[in-house]
Each structure stands twice: as structure tokens, then as C-alpha cells.
Amino acid sequence: LRKGFPEVIFGQGKTAEQIAGIMEKMNAQDDRVLVTRLSEQKAAHIQALFPQSVYHADARVLLLEKTPPPICGRGPVLVMSAGTSDIPVAKEASLTARAMGNEVETVYDVGVAGIHRLFSHKESIERASVLVVAAGMEGALPSVVAGLVNRPVIAVPTSVGYGTSLGGMTALFAMLNACSSNVAVVNIDNGFGAGYMAAMINRP
Amino acid sequence: LRKGFPEVIFGQGKTAEQIAGIMEKMNAQDDRVLVTRLSEQKAAHIQALFPQSVYHADARVLLLEKTPPPICGRGPVLVMSAGTSDIPVAKEASLTARAMGNEVETVYDVGVAGIHRLFSHKESIERASVLVVAAGMEGALPSVVAGLVNRPVIAVPTSVGYGTSLGGMTALFAMLNACSSNVAVVNIDNGFGAGYMAAMINRP
Amino acid sequence: LRKGFPEVIFGQGKTAEQIAGIMEKMNAQDDRVLVTRLSEQKAAHIQALFPQSVYHADARVLLLEKTPPPICGRGPVLVMSAGTSDIPVAKEASLTARAMGNEVETVYDVGVAGIHRLFSHKESIERASVLVVAAGMEGALPSVVAGLVNRPVIAVPTSVGYGTSLGGMTALFAMLNACSSNVAVVNIDNGFGAGYMAAMINRP
Amino acid sequence: LRKGFPEVIFGQGKTAEQIAGIMEKMNAQDDRVLVTRLSEQKAAHIQALFPQSVYHADARVLLLEKTPPPICGRGPVLVMSAGTSDIPVAKEASLTARAMGNEVETVYDVGVAGIHRLFSHKESIERASVLVVAAGMEGALPSVVAGLVNRPVIAVPTSVGYGTSLGGMTALFAMLNACSSNVAVVNIDNGFGAGYMAAMINRP
Amino acid sequence: LRKGFPEVIFGQGKTAEQIAGIMEKMNAQDDRVLVTRLSEQKAAHIQALFPQSVYHADARVLLLEKTPPPICGRGPVLVMSAGTSDIPVAKEASLTARAMGNEVETVYDVGVAGIHRLFSHKESIERASVLVVAAGMEGALPSVVAGLVNRPVIAVPTSVGYGTSLGGMTALFAMLNACSSNVAVVNIDNGFGAGYMAAMINRP
Amino acid sequence: LRKGFPEVIFGQGKTAEQIAGIMEKMNAQDDRVLVTRLSEQKAAHIQALFPQSVYHADARVLLLEKTPPPICGRGPVLVMSAGTSDIPVAKEASLTARAMGNEVETVYDVGVAGIHRLFSHKESIERASVLVVAAGMEGALPSVVAGLVNRPVIAVPTSVGYGTSLGGMTALFAMLNACSSNVAVVNIDNGFGAGYMAAMINRP
Amino acid sequence: LRKGFPEVIFGQGKTAEQIAGIMEKMNAQDDRVLVTRLSEQKAAHIQALFPQSVYHADARVLLLEKTPPPICGRGPVLVMSAGTSDIPVAKEASLTARAMGNEVETVYDVGVAGIHRLFSHKESIERASVLVVAAGMEGALPSVVAGLVNRPVIAVPTSVGYGTSLGGMTALFAMLNACSSNVAVVNIDNGFGAGYMAAMINRP
Amino acid sequence: LRKGFPEVIFGQGKTAEQIAGIMEKMNAQDDRVLVTRLSEQKAAHIQALFPQSVYHADARVLLLEKTPPPICGRGPVLVMSAGTSDIPVAKEASLTARAMGNEVETVYDVGVAGIHRLFSHKESIERASVLVVAAGMEGALPSVVAGLVNRPVIAVPTSVGYGTSLGGMTALFAMLNACSSNVAVVNIDNGFGAGYMAAMINRP
Ligand SMILES: Nc1ncnc2c1ncn2[C@@H]1O[C@H](COP(=O)(O)O)[C@@H](O)[C@H]1O
Ligand SMILES: Nc1ncnc2c1ncn2[C@@H]1O[C@H](COP(=O)(O)O)[C@@H](O)[C@H]1O
Ligand SMILES: Nc1ncnc2c1ncn2[C@@H]1O[C@H](COP(=O)(O)O)[C@@H](O)[C@H]1O
Ligand SMILES: Nc1ncnc2c1ncn2[C@@H]1O[C@H](COP(=O)(O)O)[C@@H](O)[C@H]1O
Ligand SMILES: [Mg+2]
Ligand SMILES: [Mg+2]
Ligand SMILES: [Mg+2]
Ligand SMILES: [Mg+2]
Ligand SMILES: [Mg+2]
Ligand SMILES: [Mg+2]
Ligand SMILES: [Mg+2]
Ligand SMILES: [Mg+2]
């Protein structure tokens, strides 16, 4: 049905054996398989069975493909993160968007407390066709970025923070209240969903 | 900056006088002005001053324009609602998307409790370039619809319901947990934001 | 009092010794004993003492009986799950309903994102006398299923998901807001309670 | 489809005109129409158009039927309330169950603070085929009642109370934690849903 | 100041060394020292230094005294628990009340789902001068017990349960909404506070 | 049963007619009747029927008695309030305690921001047999007061405040966390319950 | 005690008569009296009695003074607001700071969605000795502003917004998570507290 | 930019290697580096590389400096804690303020349940230029302390407590509702932020 897109397995809550079993079947018929939320331990087990697979430890993503897909999106997808601790979620988004045939650019660690750092990436921001912005704590970055462009911004709240960050709920609610209107939001820590949505929007 | 888009005024918490004042200034330089969350009472006051403006009472939207903008989006935007009570939010979305130059189709009252009603609109669903889906209570419709298409779905939770609908929070959280990945979400009752985001995505 | 029904022990928060002690007493006078929420470790200890007992690891249920009870319900109980991760809760329900004298049919992994998978089980759904539907994340399945039948549906929210799934609260609230009226709900992850309630309803 | 059951209109959030319109259509083809959550004001408007309709002000229910349906349930449905203030919700349940062809018995004001009052209704409790129990505040009554019978109990939390009653959430959560297992729960103040579910269970 | 009462140390969040240090000082001048929320591991360390001290593992309480205090309360304190899992909290209450010079009686496992078990303790209930009632899950027991007596009831919610028991919040809120008026409440799992308050009330 | 105590009617959610009806019956057999949470409007209606009744508008309490009951408590009950806005709740407590045969002393407006004001009432505080302390906002007063006495303190959170006072939840939780152990808590704004509990404790 | 500071009356929940009574006493001995959270209606009543008093309707503040106090702060206090709807809270802050002897500058409507508007006020921002920043919805402004200065920022969340703005809770939590460290926060809509704290910090 | 202030690294969520890398770069150009929220294990690793660094285990703070900075604040900063368990947070505050050039005084374990202990520190309290007050559980101390001085108080809620302390939320909300107006609040357990803000306020 969803031709050209990779098959995706949600790794959390499945055993390595279960995942490998599903991969076996998919591999026969699909060009690429993406496994998300995969722990290092399970990844080791799976890589023993699929030596050609690549595991991205920080993003907890495993990718099984012969060659990367050709670029077919309408323009570059820009993936940004507010802090260093938000990078794993941002990487999950960028790996997903790339596996779905998009050129992906990344800009990390440009939180709103040092707004000048953000402005030094003005060109990348303006060039982007779709933007994914990951932020934890107060989750303010998507609103500021969206104010700079006329393109859709997918905001991903992360669970980074402590106390009143409420495991990402504060960032989530802040993003849903973004004063810029070109922002839509996905679940907390859902880098995959953000990358997927960006790819969907970027389809020609 | 945002050329071609209408100017938008958030009507809630502003007096009719304040709104009219802003409209006066905008009207001189813009092709169209959109006022959202405008009560019937304030609208009457404003229409006395701007007789050519049109007020959509159910959507609480006022539109001031000489002619509707030419259609320039990549394809039709489909706006759906789960229940009858969700229609005002859906209308706010469709008026916004139309004012931003999109062909808009609407399908109302196709909640998941009678799933066959949904399927009778299969063609509209498959034709759409972007979809906006408004639902209150359990907020299940976006997930089901998104499972039927390879296009981006903007989900709008509404505050329709009582008790554990929690003023729209239940629908919001359900939508953020949609098992379909091509879904992103806006604030509760934010039909304007959903229509705006759809238009942004649909820009050629 | 509750003649014909198994004795039930809530295993969580009791030591293996305590559970074995209670089983000893019950075993003398009852035909079958059911232990729920029993960890693998405690089960091993108990099976050493009651070698004829059977432990269902995924459902965390232990069953001690000489023979299964005769079928006495009014019709088949259908137990469904939305995702693979909801299966343990669904199994707890089906083991409970079976131990209480019901014919049980199971249909797993029919979430609303691929609604066609659900429809391929139309016959089982229409044959059922009572339905138990387990779902996590957005918890939409019970509403859709209930719309297809004129029979009571017991919905079980599961704690499957992350972020805004809120440990099952989102699924719970969604189910309490189901637009279908033939739905009632039990506690999060309470497969036992759902199976018990279904059996109670199915009594001739 | 649902032959023999009344058509039901959710009155809240619809104008009297809209409701009358729907009734007009239904009346042509159905034996009875039930309107719930109908304010006194709207009811007056509707009764002017449908003089044969009966409005139950405390339950906010309007019923349009030529004759009451014949009794066809498996046994009596018992509807109970913990306090006087819970009676409107209980009445909504009993009117619904009656309109769906059930013999209904009611026992009101038997809260757990005076447990002897409850026991004086032992016979009604034991005779019932299905029980509906409405309670606000601490919501303890369903658990106590369910402990006395081997029949399904549908618990309805009500929004009665103040402060930590949290608009019915406390009663809801208490009921979901009932130590008796033959309890399932519907939304806060959802007397209609409870009556409907009871009727569904009581179908022969 | 508080003559005759034991010195009390809140063990949680202090190292065994810190606790032993405080005990050393207190022991010189006080008749008895009570340590609450003390883990088994820390207790072992402390008992090596104070061999005459007694550790109650289930209540996580350590008591250092030469002889128990003489009984000086106005009448017996009755400590009750709804389930087996609530016993540790109940024991913390009864050890505290005893250490403060009260005769303590205990009645465990008399939850509201089997109300007859409760009534078999009618005499103890009527004899009591003050009652402490611990319950988790739906927290209904204090309300029922308070309805049977003309004496003050201190309700202790426990964190026993899962899902919507919300770590004791549901029991807490239910108790604050008790329809009996002779109930006041302490913090979740605060058996110590309940015993202390009972002793305070029972002072002649 | 509860001989010597007044009959109490919870006025909220009952019509003036209903209340008058209950009073009629009670008046025949009881020495005094107390109606709580009674609006000014309903009180006017009732006083027309029971001219000897006294209505306390700020406490929203109506009292019907021939003579006040004789003092029979063990000592004075001291009722305190932190702010001026907490006085209605404090008065509901003091009227209740007085109607149940207690000598009542009151000390108002002694919040913790001006701690010296509190200390000027040292004598009243030390003389009291039981204390009731009402406070909104941060709810700190009960903890400070309880630290000054060896007597039971009943804390009543009030809904006074705005924003993060959360309608009294903040005061409630603060009181449940009081660092003094001789504190137990009743529902938000439940002055009646606090006075009742104090009277119960003060019974000889 | 707090010499030189105005006396302050919290107007909410007090009658006009009560407020006037307190003002009478204060006026005899104080140079200025500030009344906050005062409705237009009560203000009219009070101005009839104190004709020299000035009422600021948008800030709901009434000020009674012969002459404004001399400026004595260490430097200018800058009060900013993110949106137009946040201005009333900002004004309450600036009136308070001015009444406490501070030079106050104000910059309104500089939300983060149009970050350039903020930068056009760079000079005012850098000149300020203390900053007060009011924002609703996502509450992002304080974090961005604080990143531009080496001075203390007092953040005031406002209840402006709808849906997930949660009556100001989202802005509050966002501010407590500000990635800039020179930020401290006051209660929702507490403009008075922010102005008071700024004045306290600015004391020489 | 922020000349004279130490560079600060948020240690949580970074590996020891990452932290050491950042320190390497900073050390070349800065006089002092502060690492917060650093576990003992990571600290050991870092101290092996920077032997001159000092690790404060209870505050989880590591400080790398040749000599402490000269005192340049306007007066002493007083850091207080309500309980012993709040000391780590208080220490994080005092180390931060000291590293930013302030004279710091500390007063620990002066909770409101024994208010006389607080008053024995009257002189320190009155001498302070800025105060930081850490408290968990009911969080009442800042309000009482702020009532005694005419200086700004920075309140830090701590996560100390259990049950309704809600991981520090109760203390946070109580502090935001402090009846004293010279209080502003930082995030739960954010001793660093409190010390930083105090230093910012104390700049001459
Ligand atoms: N209904 C709405 N919900 C959310 N944001 C809105 C809405 N209507 C307008 N807006 C946004 O508010 C801005 C105008 O705000 P204002 O300057 O206060 O009128 C517009 O540019 C939109 O981005
Ligand atoms: N998994 C479960 N969830 C909820 N209730 C249960 C569960 N398992 C058993 N129960 C109930 O707990 C009772 C036994 O509790 P206990 O006496 O603590 O073993 C049974 O009679 C059931 O009603
Ligand atoms: N203000 C109040 N708050 C809580 N409970 C109350 C209050 N007033 C009366 N009650 C309780 O409600 C009972 C009467 O309830 P009702 O039969 O509904 O009038 C009394 O016996 C009291 O226990
Ligand atoms: N314990 C802490 N809590 C909150 N913010 C902190 C803490 N420690 C450091 N920070 C802030 O985090 C910034 C450094 O973050 P990073 O670049 O991730 O190391 C510092 O400039 C501080 O503003
Ligand atoms: Mg961030
Ligand atoms: Mg819906
Ligand atoms: Mg699901
Ligand atoms: Mg009740
Ligand atoms: Mg219980
Ligand atoms: Mg207070
Ligand atoms: Mg804002
Ligand atoms: Mg404290």
C-alpha cells in the first residue's frame, strides 16, 4: 500500500526474537526495514542475525537496507534540537525522514536562551521545505523558529528536564500554545512520528 | 512578509472597538482580514462599520475581503468532523484554509461508532491533498482516517463531551497516541490553527 | 457463596509462601484456584509445591484445576486486542473467562490504524455473546467494535504506550467517552476484571 | 439495525429546532424516541410540537412513544442511588432501561454511611438480573452492593460533591478500583449509558 | 516539651550512620526512640549498635525502649485494614499508638466487598475510643466504619492498587469525601501520623 | 442513635421546599436542626416557615433550636483562620461545634506572613482541648499551630486564592504534608466536617 | 515596619464596605494605599468616598496617594508583556513598582513569534536594573529576554489562552523550566507580586 | 558576555567524557567551571583528569577553580533549609552563590513545626541581603521567613516527602501562594538556579 516507504517495527515491548521474526518476513519483500526504540542489547542480538543492518545507538534506531533510498522529497527537511540532550530524539526524526527518501539537514543545540546561536543558521532555516524542531524543558524553540518561516513546523516535545518539566508535558503544552500558527505537534519523544509526518508533507 | 495570506486577528479578549481599529489599518494594505473567536455581539458592531464583511456565526469567524482568493494549493483540503457538535471547529478550519487559497471539501458527522458512514466518503478521502479531522470525546476519528491515506492529517481535538472528556484533553491525548503515524495535532478547539497548518502544507 | 466460580488470589504484593498457604486451604475445598499478577519467580516456587498447576507466563496467571470446567455460558466470549503489546492483558481476560465456564474466542492485533484487518473478523464479532476489548495508546478499538454489534462490550485500557498515553489513563478516558453506548470499562490492565465481568454477564 | 431499541438523541449542544427536526424524521419510522440532556426550556419548545411526548424534568429526559414497549428482559433491572442528589442520574438510567423493554425497580438514598438502610433492600438486590448503582462523592456504594450479588453491576459516578470530589473523578476512580470484581463503569453522570448497557446485558 | 511521648526519627533519606548518631543523643535522655520508614538493611546496621532495639520488618519501624510505656489512654485504639496489603501501614499505626501509651486492638482484612466480615467485629468497633482505618484502592472502609460509631475515625489511604488507584490518591480523595462526618485523613501511607493523631485524641 | 447531636441537612443541591420538608419531620423529634451550605435566597424561604430559626449568612448555616445545648465537651474548641476570606469556613466549623455542645473560642486573621500576630494568642492556643485551623492559599497555618501544642489539630483547607491555589488543592496537600504530626485533614471548605470532628474528639 | 512602602489591600473577596473601612484606618497613618483585584463596581463605591483616589480599570488597581513617591530604586524597572491580552497583568506590576518608588518603563506586545519586534527594544532591555516579563499561552518570552541580560528577571505567567494553556499553568511551568538561569517566577496573573518583588530587588 | 561568572555545565544526561571535553575547552579561557547534577561515578572519572577539581558529593556539584572568587556582592546571601533532607539542594545553592562572588551564610533544619528554632537565627536573617529558602513537603518556610524581612526571598521547592508531596509540586504551589509578597520561586530541586538568581540580585 504505502509503496516506497520502509516497513517500521516499534521495538519497545517486543523481544529480540519477535523482532527478528518480523524482520525475516519483511526483508523478503521490502527494500528497507526500520526498527525504533530498540535497546542496545536487543540490537546486538539482531545484528548477529542481520549483519548488514546498521544500529544508531543514540537514536535507538536500527536500519536494514541495501542502499539508501533515492532523494524524492520536495526540498530539504531541517531537523533542529534546542539542547544537547534532545539530540537522540532529533536523530530518530532525521533517520526516519532520510529512510523515507528525503534530504535531511540538522542543526543542534540552538536553545532560546542564546538566541544569536539560532540566527547564525538563518540560511538553513529559510531553505527548508519542512522543519522538525525537538525541545524539552520549556519547549520554546518551535514557536521562535516558526515565526521565521512560511513553512510547516513539526514540533516534538522531549522528556528532557526535571521537576516541573513533567516528563515532557510542559514542553508539549507550550508547543500546542505556540503563538506561531504554522506548528503542529506529535507525542513526547516521538522523533519517529515527527520524521514520518515531515516526509509525508514533503511528498511531491 | 507572509504575502498572499490574510491578516488574522484573534478576537477573544479584545473589545469590538479594538478589533475595528486593527481592521481599519489592515484593510488599507491587505486583500483580506480574518477575525477568529468573535462573539455574535461584537460581530454586529463590526459589521455596522464594515458592511461588506461576512460573519459565520457557528464558526465565530468574520471575513473581510473583496473577492475570495484564487485557488493555489496543491490539491483539495478535506475537513472532517466526527460529530455534529464538532462542526463549528471544523468550519473555522475550512474558512481559514479557503481564505488562504485552497479548495476545501467538507465531510461532517462520520464518527467511528458507525464506521460505514465514514467509508461512504472513500473517494473524497483519497482525493485529498491534506486532511483536517476534528473530533471530541474519545477523539478516535483521525487515527482511523489516517490509516486510509498516505497524506498528512492534522487532528483537532474539540472540547465537546462531558465528565472524562476533560474539556478536550482526552481527545487531545488520544490523537497524540494515534496508532497511525501521519498525524500531527493542534490545540483544543483550534480550528484556525488546523486550517492554517493545512494551507501551509498545501503550498505548492 | 459464588458456587461454580474459581477462587481467585491477587498475587501482587504477596510472597510465594503466603500464596501457597492460601492455595493449600482453597485446594481442599474448591475445584479450581486462579492466581493473577504472579511473577515468573514466584510461579516457579509455587509450581514446585503444586506440580499439577499451569503457569501462563505472558498473562502472569497460574491455574490449578483437575479438569477445565464444563462450558455453561450463554454463548462465546470474544476477547480482542488492538496491538501485540496488549495481548498479555487480553490473555488474562480469556483465561479468567474460560476458568469460569465460558467458550472463549480470541482475535489479536486488529488496531484501528488498519481497519480492514478488523473487518476480516466480522463473523467472530457477530457470533459473540459478550466482547472484551483490550487497547492501549488511544484506546479507540472498543468504540469501533461496539458500533458493529448489539452486545455488551467490556473495554480494558492497557498501560501500553509512552508520553501522553499516561500509563493507560488516555485509553481509559477515551473508552469512557466511547460514542457507542454498549461499552463499560474496567481498571487499567485489569484483564482479570474484564474476563470476570464478561463471565458474569454471560451466566445463563 | 438495532431493532426494538428506541432512537436516542443527545440533546446537549443542539438547538430545540435541530432536535425537533431529527425527531420529525425518526418519528415516521420508529416506535419511540428518547432525548437526553434536554433543558427545561428546550423541552417546552419540543412539547409544543409533539404534545404526546413526556418530559422528565429531574432526569432531563424526553420520551416520545405511543405505548411503553413490552417487557422482554431476562429479569428486573435494579437502579440504586447513594444519595438524594444522585437521583437525577439514576432516573436517566431507569427511564432508558424501561424504554428498552426492561422491568425496572429503584432504590434511592442508601449510602454506605448508614449501611443498615442498604440491607433493608436485600430482597430487591437479590432478585435483580442486572444492577445499576449511581453514587457521587466517595463512590463506595457499587463495591458494597456488588459484594452481595453474583450479577453484573454497572457503576455510574456522579458529579455530586465539592472540593476533592473533583466533579465526579473521585467517584469514578473509586469505582474502577472496586474490590468486588463484578463491576464495570461508565462516564461521569452518564445515566443513559448505564441504563443502555444494563438493557444490553439483560437481552435474552 | 512533649513529655511522655517517644522521640521519633523519620528514617527515609537518612543514612544508617546519621540515624545511629541521632539515636545516641536521644537515648541518653529519652525513655524510648521510634524510627520509621527504616529499610531492612539500615535496621541491621543499627541493631548491631543497639542490640536491645526491636525491628518490625513489615512496618519498617524500629523501637528502642527498656520497657513498654504504661497504658494511659482513655480507651482502646482500634486499628483496622481493608486488605492484606494494607497491613504494613496499619502496623506502623498500631506500633506508634502503643509506644505512646495506648492499648491497641487490630482487625485486618475486612474490606467492603465482603461486608459480613466487617460486622463480625462489631464488638471491637463499638468498644474503641478512637479508630484508625487503613485502606487502599477505593478507600471505602473508613466511611462504612465511621457510620457505625460515634467516635473519631482517622483514615489512612495506602498506595496499594494499580492503574487508577493513582498511588493512593484515589483512596485519599474518597476518604476526604466520606459521607460519614466523623472522619479526618492523613497523608498516603502515613501510618505513623494516624497512630500519633489517635494517641493525641486519646490523651485523657 | 447519635443522641444529643443535632440533625444535619446538606442544603446544597436541595430545593427550599425539600429542605423545609425534611426540617418539618426532624423538628418534631429533635432538639435542634442544622442546615449547611444554604444560600441566602433559600434561607429567606425557610425562615418564613420557621421564624424561630437563625440564619448565619457568612457561614451559610441555618440553625433551628429552642435553646443552645448545654456545654458538655472536655474543654474549649479553638477555631482559627489564616485570612479574612477564610472566616466563612471557620464560622461554619464554630457554629457546628457549638451546636454539638462545645465551648468555642475563635481567633481570625493570623496568617503566617505576620507570625507575631499568631503569638499574641498563645494563651487561647494552649488552653484549647481541640483546635480547628482553616487556611487557604499555601495552607501553612495548621503546621505552625500544631507545633505549639500537644493537642489534636483539625486542618480545613479553603478554596481561597487564585492560580496555583488550585481551588484549595494546594492548601489541602500542604496540610497533609504538615511537618507536625498532630494534624488530620478534612475536605476543602468543609467547615462543618471540621467542627463535627472536633466535637467528636472533645466528647468526654 | 516596612517603612516607605505603600499599604496594600487584596480587594478580591472583600466587600466595598470592608475595603473602605480598612482604607479609612490606613489613610490616617500611611502616605499611600494600593488596592488590587478591585472590580469596577466596587471601585465606583470607593471613589465616592475617596474622591482623590485613582482607579486603573484595566489593571483593576486603585491608588490613594497625595503625591507619587520619589524615585529611590537602583535603576529603571522594565515591565514587558508578550501579547496585548497580557497587558492588564503587566500594568498591575508597573503600578505597584511605581508606587514603591521606582522608575518604570514598559514594552508591550513583543511575543516570540515575531522576534524582531523584541530586538527593536534592545536599549530598554539593557538599561533595566530589574525586569518583569508577563506572558500567557506558551510563556516563552522570559527565557528569551533573560538570555539577553545579566540582570534578574521576574516572570509572571498569565491565564491568557485556551485549551492546553490550562489557565496559565502551561506558561507557569514553561517559565520554571526557562533555560536561562536568571529567572524566578510568581503566581499566575500575580502582577502585583512581580512588581513588589522587583521593587524589593531594586532597593538600594 | 557574562564576565566574572563561572561557566556552568548541566551534568545530568551527559557522559563523563562529554563533560570532560567541555571542561577542557572552558578551562583554557575561564577562571572557574561549575558542574551541577553530577553523579559520584562521573565525578570520579572527571577528578582523575582534573585533580585540582573539588567534588561536593551531597550537592552533586564539582568545582574547578584556582582560587575562590573575591567577594563582590552587596551583602551576605543567607541560604536556609527547612529539613535535613533539603540540605543537598541548599548546598547546591550556596556553592553556586559563593562561586559567583558572594559571601554565603547557611542555616539548616529550621522547619515551621518548631518555630522557635527559626527565631534563634533572627540576626542572620536580618543581616542578609538576599535569602534562599529550600523546603519540601508543605513548603511553608519561605512564607514565614519572608514575613520577617524587607529583602527578596528566592524559594526552592524540594522533592523531599512522599504521597501528597507529589515530588515537590505541593511545596512549589504553596510557595507560589506565599502570603508574603517578597517571594519568587524556581523549579523543584533547582538549588543551582536559586543560588544563581540570588547572585544576580546581589550584584552591586
Ligand atoms: N483562534 C485562534 N487560535 C489560535 N491562534 C490564533 C487564533 N486566531 C488568530 N490566532 C493567531 O493570533 C495572531 C493574532 O493575534 P493578535 O495580534 O492578538 O490578534 C495571528 O497571527 C494568529 O497567529
Ligand atoms: N488482577 C486483579 N485485579 C483486580 N482484582 C483482582 C485481581 N485478581 C484478583 N482480584 C480480586 O481480588 C480478590 C482476592 O484478593 P486477595 O484476597 O487479596 O487475594 C479476588 O476475589 C478478586 O476479586
Ligand atoms: N457542609 C457539609 N459538608 C459535608 N457533609 C455534610 C455537610 N453538611 C451535612 N453533611 C453531611 O450530610 C449528611 C446529610 O446529608 P443529606 O441527607 O443529603 O442532607 C449529614 O448527616 C452530614 O453527615
Ligand atoms: N542544575 C541545573 N538546573 C537547571 N539549569 C542548569 C543547571 N545546571 C546548569 N544549568 C543551566 O544549563 C546551562 C548549561 O547547559 P548545558 O549546555 O546543557 O551544559 C547553564 O548555563 C545553566 O544555565
Ligand atoms: Mg528547551
Ligand atoms: Mg469523537
Ligand atoms: Mg490502541
Ligand atoms: Mg456516595
Ligand atoms: Mg480498599
Ligand atoms: Mg493561608
Ligand atoms: Mg506568550
Ligand atoms: Mg518543609
Side-chain angles (χ1 to χ4, degrees), chain E residues 16 38-51 53 55 62:
Chain E
L38 188 72
S39 69
E40 222 153 317
Q41 213 177 336
K42 290 189 208 167
H45 180 104
I46 289 169
Q47 289 198 290
L49 298 173
F50 299 86
S53 67
Y55 180 62
L62 181 139

Side-chain angles (χ1 to χ4, degrees), chain F residues 25-85:
Chain F
K25 276 190 234 142
M26 284 179 172
N27 201 22
Q29 63 194 49
D30 293 292
D31 282 344
R32 62 188 44 77
V33 178
L34 192 77
V35 190
T36 67
R37 301 204 151 224
L38 188 72
S39 68
E40 222 153 317
Q41 213 178 337
K42 291 189 207 166
H45 180 105
I46 289 170
Q47 288 197 291
L49 299 172
F50 298 88
Q52 73 279 38
S53 68
V54 180
Y55 180 61
H56 302 264
D58 50 358
R60 293 194 299 153
V61 160
L62 181 140
L63 193 54
L64 175 62
E65 60 181 359
K66 294 206 187 75
T67 55
I71 299 300
C72 62
R74 294 200 281 162
V77 171
L78 177 62
V79 177
M80 307 179 77
S81 92
T84 349
S85 321

Side-chain angles (χ1 to χ4, degrees), chain E residues 74-103:
Chain E
R74 293 199 282 160
V77 171
L78 176 63
V79 178
M80 307 180 77
S81 91
T84 349
S85 321
D86 305 318
I87 296 180
V89 174
K91 281 217 172 141
E92 193 189 21
S94 76
L95 287 166
T96 302
R98 180 64 195 85
M100 288 170 77
N102 294 279
E103 184 198 335

Side-chain angles (χ1 to χ4, degrees), chain C residues 2 74 146 149-153 169 173 176-177 181-187 192 196-197 200-201 203, chain D residues 2 74 146 149-153 169 172-173 176-177 181-187 192 196-197 200-201 203:
Chain C
R2 300 202 161 165
R74 293 199 283 161
V149 295
N150 246 352
R151 291 290 170 189
V153 173
M169 294 301 282
F173 289 147
L176 286 166
N177 278 285
S181 306
N182 46 335
V183 175
V185 184
V186 297
N187 197 3
F192 162 73
Y196 193 98
M197 186 69 180
M200 202 55 100
I201 292 171
R203 276 183 57 201
Chain D
R2 297 195 163 173
R74 295 200 280 160
V149 295
N150 246 351
R151 291 289 170 190
V153 172
M169 295 301 283
L172 168 68
F173 289 148
L176 286 166
N177 277 286
S181 307
N182 44 337
V183 176
V185 184
V186 297
N187 196 4
F192 162 71
Y196 193 98
M197 187 70 180
M200 204 54 103
I201 291 171
R203 276 184 57 201

Side-chain angles (χ1 to χ4, degrees), chain B residues 179, chain C residues 78-94 105-114 117-118 121 125 131-136 139-142 145 154-158 160 175:
Chain B
C179 3
Chain C
L78 177 62
V79 177
M80 308 179 77
S81 90
T84 350
S85 321
D86 305 318
I87 295 180
V89 174
K91 282 215 172 143
E92 193 189 20
S94 76
E105 199 176 346
T106 57
V107 168
Y108 296 151
D109 205 8
V110 288
V112 299
R117 270 182 300 161
L118 175 64
H121 298 281
I125 291 170
L131 299 96
V132 170
V133 184
L141 190 57
V145 169
I154 304 300
V156 204
T158 74
V160 168
M175 289 166 177

